[in-house]
Amino acid sequence: MSDSISADQLRLLIERIERLEEEKQGIADDIKDVYGEAKSTGFDVKTIRTIVRLRKMEKHHRDEAEALLEMYKAALGLD
């Protein structure tokens, strides 16, 4: 009996994962469409992706990353 309960529970978990994977793919497709729309309106997608990534970061991490970038650029004479 415990084998069938475990098998049922496993099947339900796998089905949930499969549904979530489908939803995740749908969201990924939606995001791709939005980037395509941005590109078609003349925005630079690479820059938008950078902004999205920066907005996800906490301010102190963003400040640290920007300071390191400036330091590295100065060391390489890119300023």
Side-chain angles (χ1 to χ4, degrees):
M1 178 106 175
S2 83
D3 286 338
S4 81
I5 292 172
S6 295
D8 289 342
Q9 185 178 17
L10 177 61
R11 182 182 49 75
L12 290 172
L13 289 168
I14 290 172
E15 288 172 355
R16 281 176 53 200
I17 291 169
E18 289 170 342
R19 279 192 303 276
L20 291 168
E21 289 289 342
E22 287 174 11
E23 289 176 26
K24 183 171 77 170
Q25 183 59 50
I27 291 171
D29 291 342
D30 291 346
I31 291 170
K32 183 178 177 182
D33 290 345
V34 173
Y35 279 117
E37 182 181 338
K39 184 176 182 175
S40 70
T41 19
F43 291 103
D44 182 68
V45 172
K46 185 175 179 181
T47 302
I48 290 175
R49 287 183 187 278
T50 300
I51 295 295
V52 169
R53 188 180 75 249
L54 290 172
R55 286 174 51 109
K56 288 180 187 179
M57 298 172 81
E58 294 179 13
K59 182 169 177 11
H60 68 277
H61 287 127
R62 187 173 55 244
D63 291 344
E64 181 180 335
E66 289 173 356
L68 281 171
L69 179 60
E70 289 303 317
M71 184 186 333
Y72 290 2
K73 285 171 43 180
L76 295 171
L78 296 175
D79 282 337

